[in-house]
Amino acid sequence: MTIHVQNLSIGRAGRRVLEGLDFTLLDGRALVLRGPNGIGKTTLLRTLAGLQPALAGKITGADDVIAYAGHSDGLKATLTVTENLLFWSEIFGNDDISKALTQFDLEALAHRPAGGLSAGQKRRLGLARLLVTGRPVWVLDEPTVSLDVASVARFAKIISHHLDTGGSAILATHIDLGLPMAETLDLTPYRAKPGAASQDEAFL
């Protein structure tokens, strides 16, 4: 599913952070966001995922196709790994979690409560939700945080396979995942002018 962003402006904490943003995310491609800390990468990803409104501009093609993985792993601590994945699979109408368990190396942890996992294990479980959503567009905010080298390599292969099978991804990351179908978008030229106000306080 192709995502089009036209003349987009977004804000955070009462301040416009990015404006005049234009890009297209094509099927089978990844878009890696670049820019200094605080420029608005997370705000842009949350806006694309529908978690906060844009201040201006247009996003087309994003309805019901995006799976979002943010800074929070979104886990229920008292549920097991399997129960967490089943919870999300039922929401998205998918009753098969075996692929998620296998690809994210979670089989040995399947019956362990999420609250007892290490930070890296929790991160793998949080990312495994992507595979049970069945959604073609992955929006990822620093997905490799807490992952060890082997898990980063595993995740890079999972994203590559997702792209090879027609999916797409937009992500903020400082790690080079070696994705052959990735383009880079530097957000620096779209930084809003100093003093530009927004109206998003009610959504923070």
Side-chain angles (χ1 to χ4, degrees):
M1 173 61 71
T2 301
I3 306 290
H4 295 287
V5 170
Q6 299 171 288
N7 198 29
L8 190 70
S9 294
I10 59 175
R12 178 185 65 240
R15 183 172 62 89
R16 188 180 295 245
V17 292
L18 296 171
E19 59 187 2
L21 189 60
D22 291 282
F23 66 84
T24 297
L25 178 64
L26 299 174
D27 296 347
R29 305 301 295 265
L31 186 65
V32 180
L33 304 181
R34 299 293 191 204
N37 291 338
I39 196 169
K41 296 185 290 292
T42 293
T43 304
L44 174 57
L45 294 175
R46 286 176 53 82
T47 303
L48 291 172
L51 299 177
Q52 66 181 68
L55 302 178
K58 189 176 182 180
I59 302 171
T60 57
D63 293 342
D64 298 324
V65 299
I66 287 178
Y68 174 72
H71 290 163
S72 172
D73 293 319
L75 307 177
K76 294 186 179 296
T78 59
L79 298 183
T80 66
V81 167
T82 295
E83 289 168 341
N84 268 281
L85 289 176
L86 286 174
F87 172 81
W88 286 103
S89 68
E90 289 172 2
I91 289 177
F92 290 98
N94 178 8
D95 58 2
D96 183 10
I97 66 168
S98 59
K99 181 179 176 182
L101 287 170
T102 300
Q103 293 199 21
F104 281 92
D105 193 24
L106 294 168
E107 300 102 317
L109 304 171
H111 302 296
R112 185 177 300 181
L117 301 177
S118 70
Q121 291 167 342
K122 288 178 180 177
R123 192 58 168 169
R124 296 206 318 265
L125 176 54
L127 292 171
R129 292 181 302 157
L130 296 168
L131 297 182
V132 304
T133 66
R135 293 194 166 185
V137 182
W138 293 356
V139 172
L140 312 170
D141 196 356
E142 298 294 349
T144 61
V145 169
S146 300
L147 295 182
D148 58 23
V149 173
S151 295
V152 170
R154 179 185 294 271
F155 183 59
K157 290 181 180 179
I158 290 171
I159 295 184
S160 293
H161 178 72
H162 179 65
L163 301 180
D164 288 343
T165 54
S168 58
I170 178 168
L171 60 159
T173 180
H174 297 289
I175 302 296
D176 183 3
L177 296 173
L179 302 175
M181 300 302 289
E183 299 177 0
T184 299
L185 175 62
D186 184 0
L187 296 179
T188 305
Y190 302 99
R191 192 196 300 265
K193 297 177 179 62
S198 76
Q199 302 295 324
D200 71 332
E201 290 90 342
F203 298 92
L204 300 177

